[in-house]
Amino acid sequence: VEAPLQIRIAVAGNCREIPVAITMRTPGDDVELSIGYLFGEGIITHARDIIGLEVEGPNRVKIQLRVGIDMDPRNLERQSFQS
C-alpha cells in the first residue's frame, strides 16, 4: 500500500526546517529513499553532508545537513504544463 512521505531538511546552525518533498512510496526504507532523493536532486554530494537523521512518525523524515551546504529551496520548485 502506498503512503506519502514528507522529506524535510535542516541545516546545522539554522533553526529553520525546509520541507523538500512529499513523495508516494511503499513504506519501508524511508531513510534510504530520503537520502537518495537529496543526492538525486543535487542537495548533497557525499554522505558526510548529513550530520543527523530523524524519522518523525510513520510518514516523515528530517535530515540535518552540515554547515556550508548551500541549498536554495526555489531550486526544488516544479513546473508542469497542463493542457
Side-chain angles (χ1 to χ4, degrees):
V1 175
E2 284 195 332
L5 174 67
Q6 182 182 47
I7 302 169
R8 301 177 66 81
I9 62 170
V11 177
N14 186 342
C15 296
R16 195 176 92 180
E17 284 186 24
I18 301 167
V20 174
I22 296 176
T23 186
M24 295 300 288
R25 90 308 185 197
T26 302
D29 299 323
D30 293 340
V31 168
E32 292 83 357
L33 173 67
S34 300
I35 292 169
Y37 184 90
L38 296 183
F39 182 77
E41 291 295 320
I43 297 170
I44 62 171
T45 55
H46 298 93
R48 67 178 173 262
D49 294 338
I50 298 171
I51 61 169
L53 218 147
E54 186 177 349
V55 176
E56 299 181 322
N59 296 318
R60 191 159 123 173
V61 172
K62 180 174 77 174
I63 299 175
Q64 187 172 11
L65 305 179
R66 67 175 173 80
V67 173
I69 298 292
D70 187 24
M71 210 283 300
D72 185 349
R74 294 175 294 185
N75 292 339
L76 298 172
E77 293 177 0
R78 300 289 186 244
Q79 305 297 322
S80 63
F81 176 77
Q82 301 205 5
S83 57

